[in-house]
Amino acid sequence: MSAFFDYFINSSAITIVVLLLLSGYFITTFWIFFDRLYILNTRIASEGKSLKALYMGQSKSVQHASLLYTYLTRVNVPNKAILEAASSDAIRVSTKGLTWLSIIASTSPFIGLFGTVIGILETFTKLEGQSSASLSVVAPAISEALVATAAGIAVATFAYTFHLILKRKAYELSSLLSSQSEVILSQVKEA
């Protein structure tokens, strides 16, 4: 634990800012992931039940918990335009935050690399006044500078993975909404 504190005491202000920014990215990544995962899983379960009821003939319309229900209650006869608008709106609301995950996944390695470059530049600046510098002096300083790159890559890995998981969940929700729309439109055509 003292090595951890020594690292921060010996680090420059820029390195600390970089690591704090990456820490904020890390927390934001997990916040977005768990928030959206809960919302998407809840909506997928709800739409799955509604679709099952439609398929089984237990209902002529979507269930009250369905995201399409509010839109369908506002029209006399369901039509493709209203169902597409409802699906589009539901997906848009359900996938808020995915852009941020993409931004975090693409920028955090560069932020980490920036911290590493600054750390290496500071190391060479400190060594400038010395007549000779051995590997035993340079190596620990450079390895400390590489912590920022490792942190950036770690944050990017989580953000990218979570982005793909949520994107797949959004596809499942979209598929369920489309299937319900098709069943409802086929019932309208039969009537």
PDB file of all heavy atoms in Angstrom, residues 9-44:
ATOM      1  N   ILE A   9       2.747  10.367  -4.674  1.00  0.00           N
ATOM      2  CA  ILE A   9       3.565  11.455  -4.140  1.00  0.00           C
ATOM      3  C   ILE A   9       4.636  11.866  -5.143  1.00  0.00           C
ATOM      4  O   ILE A   9       4.925  13.045  -5.314  1.00  0.00           O
ATOM      5  CB  ILE A   9       4.203  11.048  -2.786  1.00  0.00           C
ATOM      6  CG1 ILE A   9       3.107  10.974  -1.715  1.00  0.00           C
ATOM      7  CG2 ILE A   9       5.294  12.021  -2.370  1.00  0.00           C
ATOM      8  CD1 ILE A   9       3.560  10.353  -0.417  1.00  0.00           C
ATOM      9  N   ASN A  10       5.213  10.885  -5.840  1.00  0.00           N
ATOM     10  CA  ASN A  10       6.289  11.165  -6.794  1.00  0.00           C
ATOM     11  C   ASN A  10       5.778  11.516  -8.191  1.00  0.00           C
ATOM     12  O   ASN A  10       6.566  11.879  -9.055  1.00  0.00           O
ATOM     13  CB  ASN A  10       7.242   9.966  -6.881  1.00  0.00           C
ATOM     14  CG  ASN A  10       7.963   9.723  -5.575  1.00  0.00           C
ATOM     15  OD1 ASN A  10       8.247  10.659  -4.836  1.00  0.00           O
ATOM     16  ND2 ASN A  10       8.229   8.465  -5.273  1.00  0.00           N
ATOM     17  N   SER A  11       4.484  11.383  -8.423  1.00  0.00           N
ATOM     18  CA  SER A  11       3.922  11.666  -9.749  1.00  0.00           C
ATOM     19  C   SER A  11       3.717  13.160  -9.949  1.00  0.00           C
ATOM     20  O   SER A  11       3.535  13.917  -9.003  1.00  0.00           O
ATOM     21  CB  SER A  11       2.576  10.966  -9.912  1.00  0.00           C
ATOM     22  OG  SER A  11       2.743   9.576  -9.917  1.00  0.00           O
ATOM     23  N   SER A  12       3.705  13.530 -11.215  1.00  0.00           N
ATOM     24  CA  SER A  12       3.461  14.934 -11.544  1.00  0.00           C
ATOM     25  C   SER A  12       1.958  15.221 -11.509  1.00  0.00           C
ATOM     26  O   SER A  12       1.138  14.300 -11.477  1.00  0.00           O
ATOM     27  CB  SER A  12       3.998  15.248 -12.932  1.00  0.00           C
ATOM     28  OG  SER A  12       3.206  14.606 -13.909  1.00  0.00           O
ATOM     29  N   ALA A  13       1.632  16.490 -11.557  1.00  0.00           N
ATOM     30  CA  ALA A  13       0.226  16.895 -11.548  1.00  0.00           C
ATOM     31  C   ALA A  13      -0.499  16.364 -12.783  1.00  0.00           C
ATOM     32  O   ALA A  13      -1.660  15.928 -12.695  1.00  0.00           O
ATOM     33  CB  ALA A  13       0.123  18.414 -11.479  1.00  0.00           C
ATOM     34  N   ILE A  14       0.173  16.348 -13.925  1.00  0.00           N
ATOM     35  CA  ILE A  14      -0.460  15.866 -15.156  1.00  0.00           C
ATOM     36  C   ILE A  14      -0.763  14.378 -15.056  1.00  0.00           C
ATOM     37  O   ILE A  14      -1.843  13.927 -15.440  1.00  0.00           O
ATOM     38  CB  ILE A  14       0.424  16.176 -16.385  1.00  0.00           C
ATOM     39  CG1 ILE A  14       0.471  17.680 -16.606  1.00  0.00           C
ATOM     40  CG2 ILE A  14      -0.092  15.462 -17.624  1.00  0.00           C
ATOM     41  CD1 ILE A  14       1.377  18.133 -17.728  1.00  0.00           C
ATOM     42  N   THR A  15       0.168  13.599 -14.505  1.00  0.00           N
ATOM     43  CA  THR A  15      -0.063  12.161 -14.344  1.00  0.00           C
ATOM     44  C   THR A  15      -1.236  11.908 -13.408  1.00  0.00           C
ATOM     45  O   THR A  15      -2.081  11.042 -13.676  1.00  0.00           O
ATOM     46  CB  THR A  15       1.209  11.471 -13.811  1.00  0.00           C
ATOM     47  OG1 THR A  15       2.289  11.740 -14.698  1.00  0.00           O
ATOM     48  CG2 THR A  15       1.009   9.978 -13.681  1.00  0.00           C
ATOM     49  N   ILE A  16      -1.312  12.657 -12.338  1.00  0.00           N
ATOM     50  CA  ILE A  16      -2.421  12.495 -11.393  1.00  0.00           C
ATOM     51  C   ILE A  16      -3.741  12.875 -12.056  1.00  0.00           C
ATOM     52  O   ILE A  16      -4.743  12.176 -11.902  1.00  0.00           O
ATOM     53  CB  ILE A  16      -2.167  13.322 -10.110  1.00  0.00           C
ATOM     54  CG1 ILE A  16      -1.004  12.699  -9.337  1.00  0.00           C
ATOM     55  CG2 ILE A  16      -3.409  13.383  -9.243  1.00  0.00           C
ATOM     56  CD1 ILE A  16      -0.511  13.516  -8.177  1.00  0.00           C
ATOM     57  N   VAL A  17      -3.755  13.965 -12.830  1.00  0.00           N
ATOM     58  CA  VAL A  17      -4.973  14.372 -13.540  1.00  0.00           C
ATOM     59  C   VAL A  17      -5.399  13.286 -14.528  1.00  0.00           C
ATOM     60  O   VAL A  17      -6.580  12.949 -14.631  1.00  0.00           O
ATOM     61  CB  VAL A  17      -4.772  15.733 -14.248  1.00  0.00           C
ATOM     62  CG1 VAL A  17      -5.903  16.025 -15.224  1.00  0.00           C
ATOM     63  CG2 VAL A  17      -4.658  16.847 -13.222  1.00  0.00           C
ATOM     64  N   VAL A  18      -4.429  12.714 -15.244  1.00  0.00           N
ATOM     65  CA  VAL A  18      -4.732  11.648 -16.208  1.00  0.00           C
ATOM     66  C   VAL A  18      -5.351  10.454 -15.494  1.00  0.00           C
ATOM     67  O   VAL A  18      -6.369   9.903 -15.929  1.00  0.00           O
ATOM     68  CB  VAL A  18      -3.461  11.239 -16.993  1.00  0.00           C
ATOM     69  CG1 VAL A  18      -3.642   9.903 -17.694  1.00  0.00           C
ATOM     70  CG2 VAL A  18      -3.098  12.313 -17.996  1.00  0.00           C
ATOM     71  N   LEU A  19      -4.762  10.046 -14.378  1.00  0.00           N
ATOM     72  CA  LEU A  19      -5.295   8.897 -13.646  1.00  0.00           C
ATOM     73  C   LEU A  19      -6.657   9.200 -13.017  1.00  0.00           C
ATOM     74  O   LEU A  19      -7.527   8.324 -12.963  1.00  0.00           O
ATOM     75  CB  LEU A  19      -4.290   8.429 -12.601  1.00  0.00           C
ATOM     76  CG  LEU A  19      -3.016   7.792 -13.177  1.00  0.00           C
ATOM     77  CD1 LEU A  19      -2.019   7.455 -12.071  1.00  0.00           C
ATOM     78  CD2 LEU A  19      -3.356   6.547 -13.989  1.00  0.00           C
ATOM     79  N   LEU A  20      -6.862  10.431 -12.583  1.00  0.00           N
ATOM     80  CA  LEU A  20      -8.189  10.802 -12.057  1.00  0.00           C
ATOM     81  C   LEU A  20      -9.240  10.795 -13.163  1.00  0.00           C
ATOM     82  O   LEU A  20     -10.365  10.341 -12.960  1.00  0.00           O
ATOM     83  CB  LEU A  20      -8.124  12.175 -11.375  1.00  0.00           C
ATOM     84  CG  LEU A  20      -7.431  12.219 -10.017  1.00  0.00           C
ATOM     85  CD1 LEU A  20      -7.319  13.669  -9.532  1.00  0.00           C
ATOM     86  CD2 LEU A  20      -8.170  11.371  -9.003  1.00  0.00           C
ATOM     87  N   LEU A  21      -8.862  11.291 -14.338  1.00  0.00           N
ATOM     88  CA  LEU A  21      -9.784  11.274 -15.476  1.00  0.00           C
ATOM     89  C   LEU A  21     -10.134   9.842 -15.854  1.00  0.00           C
ATOM     90  O   LEU A  21     -11.303   9.514 -16.082  1.00  0.00           O
ATOM     91  CB  LEU A  21      -9.173  12.012 -16.664  1.00  0.00           C
ATOM     92  CG  LEU A  21     -10.027  12.083 -17.930  1.00  0.00           C
ATOM     93  CD1 LEU A  21     -11.340  12.801 -17.661  1.00  0.00           C
ATOM     94  CD2 LEU A  21      -9.259  12.778 -19.037  1.00  0.00           C
ATOM     95  N   LEU A  22      -9.131   8.973 -15.905  1.00  0.00           N
ATOM     96  CA  LEU A  22      -9.390   7.567 -16.219  1.00  0.00           C
ATOM     97  C   LEU A  22     -10.223   6.891 -15.134  1.00  0.00           C
ATOM     98  O   LEU A  22     -11.056   6.029 -15.436  1.00  0.00           O
ATOM     99  CB  LEU A  22      -8.077   6.820 -16.444  1.00  0.00           C
ATOM    100  CG  LEU A  22      -7.329   7.192 -17.725  1.00  0.00           C
ATOM    101  CD1 LEU A  22      -5.949   6.546 -17.749  1.00  0.00           C
ATOM    102  CD2 LEU A  22      -8.132   6.806 -18.955  1.00  0.00           C
ATOM    103  N   SER A  23     -10.048   7.306 -13.892  1.00  0.00           N
ATOM    104  CA  SER A  23     -10.885   6.774 -12.810  1.00  0.00           C
ATOM    105  C   SER A  23     -12.336   7.206 -13.003  1.00  0.00           C
ATOM    106  O   SER A  23     -13.266   6.423 -12.804  1.00  0.00           O
ATOM    107  CB  SER A  23     -10.381   7.268 -11.451  1.00  0.00           C
ATOM    108  OG  SER A  23      -9.097   6.784 -11.194  1.00  0.00           O
ATOM    109  N   GLY A  24     -12.528   8.461 -13.397  1.00  0.00           N
ATOM    110  CA  GLY A  24     -13.883   8.938 -13.694  1.00  0.00           C
ATOM    111  C   GLY A  24     -14.490   8.173 -14.851  1.00  0.00           C
ATOM    112  O   GLY A  24     -15.675   7.804 -14.824  1.00  0.00           O
ATOM    113  N   TYR A  25     -13.702   7.924 -15.880  1.00  0.00           N
ATOM    114  CA  TYR A  25     -14.160   7.116 -17.008  1.00  0.00           C
ATOM    115  C   TYR A  25     -14.572   5.719 -16.544  1.00  0.00           C
ATOM    116  O   TYR A  25     -15.578   5.168 -16.975  1.00  0.00           O
ATOM    117  CB  TYR A  25     -13.035   6.983 -18.043  1.00  0.00           C
ATOM    118  CG  TYR A  25     -13.013   8.004 -19.146  1.00  0.00           C
ATOM    119  CD1 TYR A  25     -13.713   9.205 -19.068  1.00  0.00           C
ATOM    120  CD2 TYR A  25     -12.255   7.767 -20.288  1.00  0.00           C
ATOM    121  CE1 TYR A  25     -13.660  10.123 -20.102  1.00  0.00           C
ATOM    122  CE2 TYR A  25     -12.195   8.673 -21.323  1.00  0.00           C
ATOM    123  CZ  TYR A  25     -12.905   9.860 -21.218  1.00  0.00           C
ATOM    124  OH  TYR A  25     -12.862  10.766 -22.239  1.00  0.00           O
ATOM    125  N   PHE A  26     -13.757   5.144 -15.682  1.00  0.00           N
ATOM    126  CA  PHE A  26     -14.016   3.792 -15.190  1.00  0.00           C
ATOM    127  C   PHE A  26     -15.343   3.729 -14.430  1.00  0.00           C
ATOM    128  O   PHE A  26     -16.170   2.845 -14.680  1.00  0.00           O
ATOM    129  CB  PHE A  26     -12.848   3.364 -14.286  1.00  0.00           C
ATOM    130  CG  PHE A  26     -12.879   1.921 -13.886  1.00  0.00           C
ATOM    131  CD1 PHE A  26     -12.516   0.938 -14.787  1.00  0.00           C
ATOM    132  CD2 PHE A  26     -13.244   1.546 -12.607  1.00  0.00           C
ATOM    133  CE1 PHE A  26     -12.521  -0.405 -14.424  1.00  0.00           C
ATOM    134  CE2 PHE A  26     -13.256   0.216 -12.231  1.00  0.00           C
ATOM    135  CZ  PHE A  26     -12.891  -0.762 -13.141  1.00  0.00           C
ATOM    136  N   ILE A  27     -15.550   4.684 -13.548  1.00  0.00           N
ATOM    137  CA  ILE A  27     -16.801   4.725 -12.779  1.00  0.00           C
ATOM    138  C   ILE A  27     -17.988   4.966 -13.708  1.00  0.00           C
ATOM    139  O   ILE A  27     -19.027   4.303 -13.585  1.00  0.00           O
ATOM    140  CB  ILE A  27     -16.708   5.811 -11.682  1.00  0.00           C
ATOM    141  CG1 ILE A  27     -15.686   5.387 -10.620  1.00  0.00           C
ATOM    142  CG2 ILE A  27     -18.073   6.089 -11.058  1.00  0.00           C
ATOM    143  CD1 ILE A  27     -15.268   6.493  -9.682  1.00  0.00           C
ATOM    144  N   THR A  28     -17.847   5.881 -14.643  1.00  0.00           N
ATOM    145  CA  THR A  28     -18.921   6.167 -15.603  1.00  0.00           C
ATOM    146  C   THR A  28     -19.255   4.941 -16.434  1.00  0.00           C
ATOM    147  O   THR A  28     -20.430   4.650 -16.684  1.00  0.00           O
ATOM    148  CB  THR A  28     -18.508   7.334 -16.529  1.00  0.00           C
ATOM    149  OG1 THR A  28     -18.208   8.477 -15.726  1.00  0.00           O
ATOM    150  CG2 THR A  28     -19.590   7.666 -17.528  1.00  0.00           C
ATOM    151  N   THR A  29     -18.233   4.211 -16.854  1.00  0.00           N
ATOM    152  CA  THR A  29     -18.440   3.000 -17.654  1.00  0.00           C
ATOM    153  C   THR A  29     -19.304   1.994 -16.905  1.00  0.00           C
ATOM    154  O   THR A  29     -20.283   1.464 -17.450  1.00  0.00           O
ATOM    155  CB  THR A  29     -17.075   2.366 -18.012  1.00  0.00           C
ATOM    156  OG1 THR A  29     -16.360   3.276 -18.841  1.00  0.00           O
ATOM    157  CG2 THR A  29     -17.242   1.044 -18.719  1.00  0.00           C
ATOM    158  N   PHE A  30     -18.967   1.736 -15.660  1.00  0.00           N
ATOM    159  CA  PHE A  30     -19.738   0.764 -14.890  1.00  0.00           C
ATOM    160  C   PHE A  30     -21.133   1.279 -14.567  1.00  0.00           C
ATOM    161  O   PHE A  30     -22.103   0.514 -14.560  1.00  0.00           O
ATOM    162  CB  PHE A  30     -18.984   0.360 -13.620  1.00  0.00           C
ATOM    163  CG  PHE A  30     -17.988  -0.727 -13.872  1.00  0.00           C
ATOM    164  CD1 PHE A  30     -16.706  -0.424 -14.315  1.00  0.00           C
ATOM    165  CD2 PHE A  30     -18.329  -2.057 -13.704  1.00  0.00           C
ATOM    166  CE1 PHE A  30     -15.790  -1.423 -14.578  1.00  0.00           C
ATOM    167  CE2 PHE A  30     -17.420  -3.063 -13.967  1.00  0.00           C
ATOM    168  CZ  PHE A  30     -16.143  -2.751 -14.396  1.00  0.00           C
ATOM    169  N   TRP A  31     -21.249   2.580 -14.296  1.00  0.00           N
ATOM    170  CA  TRP A  31     -22.564   3.163 -14.015  1.00  0.00           C
ATOM    171  C   TRP A  31     -23.497   2.996 -15.216  1.00  0.00           C
ATOM    172  O   TRP A  31     -24.624   2.539 -15.082  1.00  0.00           O
ATOM    173  CB  TRP A  31     -22.419   4.637 -13.656  1.00  0.00           C
ATOM    174  CG  TRP A  31     -23.737   5.292 -13.417  1.00  0.00           C
ATOM    175  CD1 TRP A  31     -24.515   5.962 -14.317  1.00  0.00           C
ATOM    176  CD2 TRP A  31     -24.466   5.307 -12.200  1.00  0.00           C
ATOM    177  NE1 TRP A  31     -25.665   6.394 -13.740  1.00  0.00           N
ATOM    178  CE2 TRP A  31     -25.672   6.009 -12.431  1.00  0.00           C
ATOM    179  CE3 TRP A  31     -24.217   4.792 -10.926  1.00  0.00           C
ATOM    180  CZ2 TRP A  31     -26.614   6.207 -11.431  1.00  0.00           C
ATOM    181  CZ3 TRP A  31     -25.167   5.006  -9.945  1.00  0.00           C
ATOM    182  CH2 TRP A  31     -26.345   5.699 -10.203  1.00  0.00           C
ATOM    183  N   ILE A  32     -23.028   3.399 -16.378  1.00  0.00           N
ATOM    184  CA  ILE A  32     -23.839   3.283 -17.590  1.00  0.00           C
ATOM    185  C   ILE A  32     -24.196   1.822 -17.850  1.00  0.00           C
ATOM    186  O   ILE A  32     -25.342   1.503 -18.161  1.00  0.00           O
ATOM    187  CB  ILE A  32     -23.104   3.886 -18.811  1.00  0.00           C
ATOM    188  CG1 ILE A  32     -23.013   5.409 -18.680  1.00  0.00           C
ATOM    189  CG2 ILE A  32     -23.812   3.515 -20.115  1.00  0.00           C
ATOM    190  CD1 ILE A  32     -22.101   6.066 -19.703  1.00  0.00           C
ATOM    191  N   PHE A  33     -23.208   0.945 -17.720  1.00  0.00           N
ATOM    192  CA  PHE A  33     -23.455  -0.460 -18.024  1.00  0.00           C
ATOM    193  C   PHE A  33     -24.552  -1.047 -17.134  1.00  0.00           C
ATOM    194  O   PHE A  33     -25.521  -1.631 -17.633  1.00  0.00           O
ATOM    195  CB  PHE A  33     -22.176  -1.285 -17.882  1.00  0.00           C
ATOM    196  CG  PHE A  33     -22.397  -2.755 -18.090  1.00  0.00           C
ATOM    197  CD1 PHE A  33     -22.726  -3.251 -19.343  1.00  0.00           C
ATOM    198  CD2 PHE A  33     -22.303  -3.642 -17.032  1.00  0.00           C
ATOM    199  CE1 PHE A  33     -22.940  -4.604 -19.544  1.00  0.00           C
ATOM    200  CE2 PHE A  33     -22.506  -4.994 -17.223  1.00  0.00           C
ATOM    201  CZ  PHE A  33     -22.834  -5.481 -18.478  1.00  0.00           C
ATOM    202  N   PHE A  34     -24.421  -0.912 -15.832  1.00  0.00           N
ATOM    203  CA  PHE A  34     -25.398  -1.536 -14.942  1.00  0.00           C
ATOM    204  C   PHE A  34     -26.771  -0.876 -15.045  1.00  0.00           C
ATOM    205  O   PHE A  34     -27.803  -1.556 -14.977  1.00  0.00           O
ATOM    206  CB  PHE A  34     -24.895  -1.561 -13.501  1.00  0.00           C
ATOM    207  CG  PHE A  34     -23.802  -2.561 -13.294  1.00  0.00           C
ATOM    208  CD1 PHE A  34     -22.543  -2.172 -12.889  1.00  0.00           C
ATOM    209  CD2 PHE A  34     -24.018  -3.910 -13.541  1.00  0.00           C
ATOM    210  CE1 PHE A  34     -21.526  -3.098 -12.712  1.00  0.00           C
ATOM    211  CE2 PHE A  34     -23.006  -4.852 -13.376  1.00  0.00           C
ATOM    212  CZ  PHE A  34     -21.760  -4.439 -12.960  1.00  0.00           C
ATOM    213  N   ASP A  35     -26.805   0.432 -15.237  1.00  0.00           N
ATOM    214  CA  ASP A  35     -28.076   1.133 -15.407  1.00  0.00           C
ATOM    215  C   ASP A  35     -28.796   0.667 -16.673  1.00  0.00           C
ATOM    216  O   ASP A  35     -29.964   0.282 -16.634  1.00  0.00           O
ATOM    217  CB  ASP A  35     -27.828   2.647 -15.469  1.00  0.00           C
ATOM    218  CG  ASP A  35     -29.099   3.433 -15.686  1.00  0.00           C
ATOM    219  OD1 ASP A  35     -30.039   3.287 -14.871  1.00  0.00           O
ATOM    220  OD2 ASP A  35     -29.161   4.205 -16.667  1.00  0.00           O
ATOM    221  N   ARG A  36     -28.112   0.689 -17.787  1.00  0.00           N
ATOM    222  CA  ARG A  36     -28.725   0.289 -19.069  1.00  0.00           C
ATOM    223  C   ARG A  36     -29.017  -1.210 -19.120  1.00  0.00           C
ATOM    224  O   ARG A  36     -30.018  -1.630 -19.703  1.00  0.00           O
ATOM    225  CB  ARG A  36     -27.817   0.662 -20.244  1.00  0.00           C
ATOM    226  CG  ARG A  36     -27.715   2.151 -20.472  1.00  0.00           C
ATOM    227  CD  ARG A  36     -29.038   2.741 -20.910  1.00  0.00           C
ATOM    228  NE  ARG A  36     -29.552   3.615 -19.879  1.00  0.00           N
ATOM    229  CZ  ARG A  36     -30.723   4.218 -19.903  1.00  0.00           C
ATOM    230  NH1 ARG A  36     -31.544   4.080 -20.906  1.00  0.00           N
ATOM    231  NH2 ARG A  36     -31.126   4.988 -18.923  1.00  0.00           N
ATOM    232  N   LEU A  37     -28.161  -2.018 -18.518  1.00  0.00           N
ATOM    233  CA  LEU A  37     -28.395  -3.466 -18.507  1.00  0.00           C
ATOM    234  C   LEU A  37     -29.687  -3.785 -17.761  1.00  0.00           C
ATOM    235  O   LEU A  37     -30.496  -4.587 -18.226  1.00  0.00           O
ATOM    236  CB  LEU A  37     -27.215  -4.202 -17.870  1.00  0.00           C
ATOM    237  CG  LEU A  37     -27.295  -5.724 -17.889  1.00  0.00           C
ATOM    238  CD1 LEU A  37     -27.246  -6.245 -19.324  1.00  0.00           C
ATOM    239  CD2 LEU A  37     -26.164  -6.331 -17.054  1.00  0.00           C
ATOM    240  N   TYR A  38     -29.881  -3.130 -16.629  1.00  0.00           N
ATOM    241  CA  TYR A  38     -31.120  -3.344 -15.866  1.00  0.00           C
ATOM    242  C   TYR A  38     -32.340  -2.920 -16.690  1.00  0.00           C
ATOM    243  O   TYR A  38     -33.324  -3.664 -16.783  1.00  0.00           O
ATOM    244  CB  TYR A  38     -31.065  -2.571 -14.542  1.00  0.00           C
ATOM    245  CG  TYR A  38     -32.367  -2.613 -13.790  1.00  0.00           C
ATOM    246  CD1 TYR A  38     -32.741  -3.756 -13.092  1.00  0.00           C
ATOM    247  CD2 TYR A  38     -33.241  -1.525 -13.808  1.00  0.00           C
ATOM    248  CE1 TYR A  38     -33.942  -3.806 -12.418  1.00  0.00           C
ATOM    249  CE2 TYR A  38     -34.443  -1.572 -13.139  1.00  0.00           C
ATOM    250  CZ  TYR A  38     -34.792  -2.714 -12.438  1.00  0.00           C
ATOM    251  OH  TYR A  38     -35.993  -2.760 -11.777  1.00  0.00           O
ATOM    252  N   ILE A  39     -32.270  -1.743 -17.279  1.00  0.00           N
ATOM    253  CA  ILE A  39     -33.402  -1.237 -18.066  1.00  0.00           C
ATOM    254  C   ILE A  39     -33.679  -2.144 -19.262  1.00  0.00           C
ATOM    255  O   ILE A  39     -34.829  -2.513 -19.522  1.00  0.00           O
ATOM    256  CB  ILE A  39     -33.138   0.216 -18.515  1.00  0.00           C
ATOM    257  CG1 ILE A  39     -33.238   1.152 -17.304  1.00  0.00           C
ATOM    258  CG2 ILE A  39     -34.097   0.654 -19.616  1.00  0.00           C
ATOM    259  CD1 ILE A  39     -32.779   2.564 -17.554  1.00  0.00           C
ATOM    260  N   LEU A  40     -32.645  -2.509 -19.989  1.00  0.00           N
ATOM    261  CA  LEU A  40     -32.837  -3.355 -21.171  1.00  0.00           C
ATOM    262  C   LEU A  40     -33.354  -4.742 -20.791  1.00  0.00           C
ATOM    263  O   LEU A  40     -34.275  -5.262 -21.439  1.00  0.00           O
ATOM    264  CB  LEU A  40     -31.543  -3.468 -21.968  1.00  0.00           C
ATOM    265  CG  LEU A  40     -31.212  -2.239 -22.814  1.00  0.00           C
ATOM    266  CD1 LEU A  40     -29.757  -2.273 -23.274  1.00  0.00           C
ATOM    267  CD2 LEU A  40     -32.139  -2.132 -24.011  1.00  0.00           C
ATOM    268  N   ASN A  41     -32.814  -5.338 -19.740  1.00  0.00           N
ATOM    269  CA  ASN A  41     -33.298  -6.660 -19.319  1.00  0.00           C
ATOM    270  C   ASN A  41     -34.752  -6.610 -18.874  1.00  0.00           C
ATOM    271  O   ASN A  41     -35.534  -7.520 -19.184  1.00  0.00           O
ATOM    272  CB  ASN A  41     -32.419  -7.232 -18.203  1.00  0.00           C
ATOM    273  CG  ASN A  41     -31.144  -7.829 -18.719  1.00  0.00           C
ATOM    274  OD1 ASN A  41     -31.040  -8.203 -19.885  1.00  0.00           O
ATOM    275  ND2 ASN A  41     -30.149  -7.932 -17.859  1.00  0.00           N
ATOM    276  N   THR A  42     -35.132  -5.553 -18.169  1.00  0.00           N
ATOM    277  CA  THR A  42     -36.526  -5.400 -17.732  1.00  0.00           C
ATOM    278  C   THR A  42     -37.450  -5.263 -18.937  1.00  0.00           C
ATOM    279  O   THR A  42     -38.505  -5.910 -19.011  1.00  0.00           O
ATOM    280  CB  THR A  42     -36.663  -4.158 -16.821  1.00  0.00           C
ATOM    281  OG1 THR A  42     -35.779  -4.303 -15.712  1.00  0.00           O
ATOM    282  CG2 THR A  42     -38.082  -3.983 -16.332  1.00  0.00           C
ATOM    283  N   ARG A  43     -37.049  -4.447 -19.895  1.00  0.00           N
ATOM    284  CA  ARG A  43     -37.884  -4.235 -21.080  1.00  0.00           C
ATOM    285  C   ARG A  43     -37.933  -5.472 -21.972  1.00  0.00           C
ATOM    286  O   ARG A  43     -38.969  -5.779 -22.551  1.00  0.00           O
ATOM    287  CB  ARG A  43     -37.397  -3.012 -21.850  1.00  0.00           C
ATOM    288  CG  ARG A  43     -37.678  -1.739 -21.085  1.00  0.00           C
ATOM    289  CD  ARG A  43     -37.227  -0.501 -21.774  1.00  0.00           C
ATOM    290  NE  ARG A  43     -37.667   0.665 -21.002  1.00  0.00           N
ATOM    291  CZ  ARG A  43     -37.417   1.902 -21.329  1.00  0.00           C
ATOM    292  NH1 ARG A  43     -36.740   2.175 -22.432  1.00  0.00           N
ATOM    293  NH2 ARG A  43     -37.840   2.888 -20.579  1.00  0.00           N
ATOM    294  N   ILE A  44     -36.829  -6.183 -22.076  1.00  0.00           N
ATOM    295  CA  ILE A  44     -36.817  -7.422 -22.868  1.00  0.00           C
ATOM    296  C   ILE A  44     -37.766  -8.448 -22.259  1.00  0.00           C
ATOM    297  O   ILE A  44     -38.523  -9.111 -22.973  1.00  0.00           O
ATOM    298  CB  ILE A  44     -35.372  -7.975 -22.995  1.00  0.00           C
ATOM    299  CG1 ILE A  44     -34.569  -7.097 -23.953  1.00  0.00           C
ATOM    300  CG2 ILE A  44     -35.372  -9.427 -23.456  1.00  0.00           C
ATOM    301  CD1 ILE A  44     -33.080  -7.391 -23.947  1.00  0.00           C
TER     302      ILE A  44
END
